[in-house]
Amino acid sequence: MVTKQLNDAHDDADLRRADSLAREIFSDVANKWALLIIEAVGERTLRFTQLRDTVEGISHKMLTQNLRMLERNGLVVRTVHPTVPPRVEYSLTEPGQALRATVDVMCDWTQRHLGHIEAARHRFDA
C-alpha cells in the first residue's frame, strides 16, 4: 500500500483528486468488510474469534487485513494482554466511533429502503 505524503492540506482533503490522502482513506474504509467490522465492534471490545463469528462470511485473512488497515488508520485499537496464549482484543477509537455513527445511518437507510430496492431488482432482472 502506497501512502501519499502530506503536501498541500487542501489537495489532500479533496476526494475528487485521485492522489489525495482523503481518497486513500475513503478507499480503505469504504469496503464491505471494514464497514461490517466497524458495525460489529460497535461500543464493545471483541476478540478476533468473536469478530470472525459476528461478521459472517469473512475469512481469517480478510479479517486480519481489514483489522490492520483500520488500526493503521486509527479507527481500531488492538490491545494485547500478556497471557498464555496472548489475548488480543479490538475496540473502536473515537474516530472509529464517529465513523460508526455514519455506518449506522447507512444500515438504517438499507433497512428502510430494502423493499424498494428488492422490487427494483426484480423489475430489472425480469
Side-chain angles (χ1 to χ4, degrees):
M1 170 183 288
V2 176
T3 300
K4 183 181 178 322
Q5 296 297 314
L6 289 175
N7 293 327
D8 180 3
H10 178 71
D11 290 344
D12 284 332
D14 189 349
L15 281 172
R16 296 170 297 174
R17 291 180 55 101
D19 65 342
S20 73
L21 182 58
R23 176 147 340 155
E24 181 183 328
I25 294 165
F26 187 80
S27 178
D28 279 353
V29 299
N31 77 69
K32 73 174 180 181
W33 295 125
L35 295 174
L36 291 171
I37 291 166
I38 289 166
E39 183 63 20
V41 174
E43 296 178 12
R44 306 178 290 176
T45 297
L46 294 176
R47 296 180 70 175
F48 184 91
T49 52
Q50 291 173 307
L51 262 171
R52 193 179 61 217
D53 292 345
T54 302
V55 181
E56 284 188 28
I58 193 167
S59 68
H60 186 281
K61 178 181 175 180
M62 288 307 298
L63 181 55
T64 299
Q65 287 176 350
N66 277 274
L67 284 169
R68 286 182 182 160
M69 176 273 299
L70 291 168
E71 183 180 13
R72 178 176 184 260
N73 283 308
L75 302 173
V76 166
V77 65
R78 178 180 182 261
T79 305
V80 180
H81 298 278
T83 60
V84 178
R87 188 181 67 182
V88 181
E89 296 176 329
Y90 299 90
S91 56
L92 296 179
T93 62
E94 187 176 328
Q97 287 289 348
L99 180 58
R100 180 175 172 252
T102 301
V103 174
D104 287 346
V105 170
M106 292 171 62
C107 291
D108 292 343
W109 176 88
T110 302
Q111 292 172 348
R112 194 169 45 256
H113 297 287
L114 190 62
H116 173 82
I117 294 168
E118 195 173 37
R121 285 181 171 191
H122 185 271
R123 287 189 306 274
F124 185 87
D125 294 339

